[in-house]
């Protein structure tokens, strides 16, 4: 499908139903205000802990701005222009608002308009401050969740370390294929650990997720599965480049890094480029600092606040952390944080709105987009017929000269493509909320 304007889409966009009957309404009425309340409460605690009187005074002003944002949301005010925080994208944001959604309110604007807008506006509150500019209002939640899951982290790392050693020791294509399927699906299901959807993830829940991945139990929860086609692409790449557009920090990022670890060890990739967010985004999205923190945590778990690890588990983590630091230092792994990823545009506009970034991605042998929001921005957040082919939905990103694009997503929003109608009917019969429960996923090429 070719170009279309954000306010003139081929199918209706997801908007909040006034009768409260859809997931978009639930998100706007309940889930997202709760997230904003958590931001306010966590920031209040940070203000209370500060010994700087000027920072405390400014913090109270910022809290008032956050409260004003919440008031506008719950009372359905128009989406206001963003104040410039100097990051470099506010002119684009405000031009997009004025051109396509002038006068639109929270409940009338599409889901993919108001939700990213909220996170960008939160960032402007802190980005324009004198004392709190570097404050990551989601960092504590991301890091605390990961620290609490160290037992699951150690089990996962030990398993993938064993898979990598087995891969290096075999010439069997069957064994390499099985190893790839395991690390790819682990990366897919890592996307369940999304703090914007599941803010109270426990270590027990993470261990349960990992057990299902290892057992293969989750395979029947993949609504559309192009794993074999992805494997064909991977088989054709030797010492190439793979790009991963990241989603969540913590446990999901670990799964993505372990996938990259396997791709390098297997000789598929001589370079892996990770694309992170430049500003705090969607509660748990990866920033460059999150990536560095993950590697540093594995290098020295105890210094990062992890406790209760067996000596053997800690040794595995330290060894992997050391390997990953060397991969980063040597340039085999690279972390980039292009501003486009936190902009207002869907990814179908990459070739025209961010031509340098698109040209760089086109130099890759495989580009993997992780997670729900990246998926929604890839296909655009519409009421697509579920059978619409994935390549049709991503439009210009599937044109001649484009790299192979893979989406790994656990579904947390009621838009999806590339699913056989009979399969969709079967899933609806199992549970009516399968499209946004976070319990089902897709691997699409």
């Amino acid at each position: 499908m070719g170009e279309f304007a954000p306010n003139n889409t081929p199918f209706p966009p997801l908007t909040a139903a006034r009768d409260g009957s859809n997931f978009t309404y639930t998100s706007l009425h309940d889930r997202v205000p709760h997230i904003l309340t958590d931001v306010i409460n966590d920031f209040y605690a940070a203000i209370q802990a500060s010994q700087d009187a000027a920072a405390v005074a400014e913090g109270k002003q910022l809290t008032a701005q956050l409260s004003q944002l919440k008031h506008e949301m719950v009372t359905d005010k128009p989406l206001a222009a963003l104040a410039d925080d100097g990051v470099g994208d506010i002119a684009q944001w405000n031009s997009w608002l004025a051109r396509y959604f002038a006068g639109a309110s929270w409940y009338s604007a599409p889901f993919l308009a108001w939700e990213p807008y909220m996170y960008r506006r939160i960032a402007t509150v802190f980005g324009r401050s004198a004392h709190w500019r570097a404050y990551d209002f989601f960092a504590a939640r991301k890091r605390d969740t990961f620290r609490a899951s160290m037992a699951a982290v150690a089990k996962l790392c030990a398993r993938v370390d064993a898979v990598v050693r087995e891969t290096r020791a075999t010439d069997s294509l069957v064994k390499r294929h099985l190893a790839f399927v395991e690390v790819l699906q682990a990366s897919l299901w890592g996307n369940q650990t999304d703090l914007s959807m599941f803010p109270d993830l426990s270590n027990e829940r993470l261990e349960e997720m990992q057990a299902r991945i290892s057992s293969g139990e989750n395979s029947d929860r993949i609504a559309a599965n192009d794993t074999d086609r992805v494997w064909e692409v991977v088989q054709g790449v030797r010492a190439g480049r793979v790009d991963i557009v990241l989603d969540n920090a913590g446990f999901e990022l670990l799964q993505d890094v372990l996938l990259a670890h396997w791709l390098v060890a297997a000789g598929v990739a001589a370079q892996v480029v990770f694309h992170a967010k430049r500003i705090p985004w969607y509660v748990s999205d990866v920033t460059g600092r999150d990536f560095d923190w993950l590697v540093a945590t594995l290098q020295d778990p105890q210094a990062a606040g992890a406790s209760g690890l067996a000596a053997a588990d800690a040794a595995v983590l330290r060894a992997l952390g050391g390997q990953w630091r060397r991969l980063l230092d040597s340039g085999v792994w690279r972390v980039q944080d292009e501003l486009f990823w936190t902009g207002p545009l869907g990814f179908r506009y990459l070739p025209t709105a961010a031509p340098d970034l698109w040209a760089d991605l086109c130099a890759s042998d495989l580009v993997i987009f992780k997670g729900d929001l990246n998926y929604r921005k890839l296909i655009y957040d519409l009421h697509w017929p579920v059978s619409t082919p994935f390549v049709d939905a991503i439009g210009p990103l599937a044109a001649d000269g484009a790299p192979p694009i893979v989406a790994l997503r656990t579904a947390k929003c009621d838009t999806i493509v590339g699913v056989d109608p009979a399969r969709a009917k079967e899933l609806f019969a199992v549970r009516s909320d399968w499209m946004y429960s976070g319990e089902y996923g897709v691997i699409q090429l």
Side-chain angles (χ1 to χ4, degrees), residues 370-392:
K370 285 300 309 293
D372 191 70
L373 179 64
N374 284 333
Y375 184 89
R376 292 164 59 197
K377 285 206 161 191
L378 269 176
I379 69 169
Y380 224 67
D381 217 8
L382 308 177
H383 288 284
W384 293 98
V386 295
S387 60
T388 305
F390 177 69
V391 293
D392 287 357

Side-chain angles (χ1 to χ4, degrees), residues 61-266:
Q61 296 172 2
L62 303 187
T63 301
Q65 293 176 39
L66 294 170
S67 298
Q68 174 63 26
L69 170 58
K70 182 178 176 182
H71 172 75
E72 291 176 20
M73 180 191 304
V74 300
T75 57
D76 196 24
K77 296 292 189 291
L79 302 181
L82 296 171
D84 196 343
D85 57 4
V87 172
D89 63 345
I90 293 301
Q92 182 189 53
W93 265 100
N94 286 338
S95 173
W96 174 83
L97 278 170
R99 182 174 181 182
Y100 299 116
F101 301 108
S105 69
W106 290 83
Y107 279 82
S108 67
F111 200 170
L112 202 55
W114 64 258
E115 191 178 33
Y117 166 87
M118 184 202 73
Y119 286 102
R120 189 63 188 91
R121 186 161 160 191
I122 294 173
T124 69
V125 171
F126 294 99
R128 292 180 297 117
S129 70
H131 299 88
W132 300 95
R133 188 176 182 85
Y135 176 70
D136 182 345
F137 35 94
F138 296 132
R141 288 179 180 271
K142 288 184 279 192
R143 294 176 183 184
D144 289 349
T145 300
F146 190 75
R147 288 190 193 99
S149 65
M150 289 305 290
V153 165
K155 287 182 181 179
L156 175 63
C157 287
R159 172 58 192 157
V160 174
D161 189 50
V163 169
V164 165
R165 283 187 276 105
E166 291 165 7
T167 299
R168 284 173 170 156
T170 185
D171 293 324
S172 167
L173 273 179
V174 172
K175 289 183 178 179
R176 286 170 64 89
H177 182 203
L178 291 173
F180 173 71
V181 170
E182 182 171 343
V183 294
L184 185 75
Q185 291 198 12
S187 179
L188 163 66
W189 294 113
N191 183 236
Q192 288 185 309
T193 59
D194 183 340
L195 295 181
S196 71
M197 282 291 293
F198 308 112
D200 302 314
L201 274 173
S202 64
N203 184 51
E204 291 74 18
R205 173 81 187 275
L206 288 168
E207 290 193 354
E208 178 188 326
M209 289 178 182
Q210 182 54 31
R212 288 204 304 264
I213 294 166
S214 300
S215 69
E217 179 186 337
N218 272 349
S219 294
D220 63 353
R221 295 181 182 230
I222 302 177
N225 192 349
D226 288 336
T227 297
D228 289 342
R229 293 180 58 216
V230 180
W231 171 241
E232 289 176 10
V233 173
V234 167
Q235 275 188 288
V237 179
R238 289 290 178 270
R241 169 178 160 178
V242 175
D243 286 57
I244 304 176
V245 182
L246 299 167
D247 189 22
N248 296 300
F251 200 69
E252 179 177 1
L253 174 59
L254 177 71
Q255 307 269 27
D256 300 338
V257 173
L258 287 167
L259 170 61
H261 180 69
W262 185 90
L263 290 168
V264 171

Side-chain angles (χ1 to χ4, degrees), residues 323-342:
Q323 291 179 56
W324 296 349
R325 183 63 67 190
R326 290 189 290 274
L327 288 169
L328 288 165
D329 290 344
S330 68
V332 173
W333 285 2
R334 193 166 79 239
V335 181
Q336 301 178 179
D337 62 352
E338 300 89 355
L339 202 51
F340 182 83
W341 308 121
T342 51

Side-chain angles (χ1 to χ4, degrees), residues 27 37 86 96 99 204 268 277 300 309-310 327 339 342 397 431:
S27 293
T37 299
W96 174 83
R99 182 174 181 182
E204 291 74 18
V268 174
K277 306 300 192 300
D300 192 346
L309 280 175
L327 288 169
L339 202 51
T342 51
L397 303 191
R431 58 182 300 173

Side-chain angles (χ1 to χ4, degrees), residues 43-67:
F43 183 48
Y44 178 78
I47 295 170
Q48 294 297 105
S50 176
Q51 302 299 312
D52 184 331
V56 170
E58 185 183 47
K60 292 177 181 178
Q61 296 172 2
L62 303 187
T63 301
Q65 293 176 39
L66 294 170
S67 298

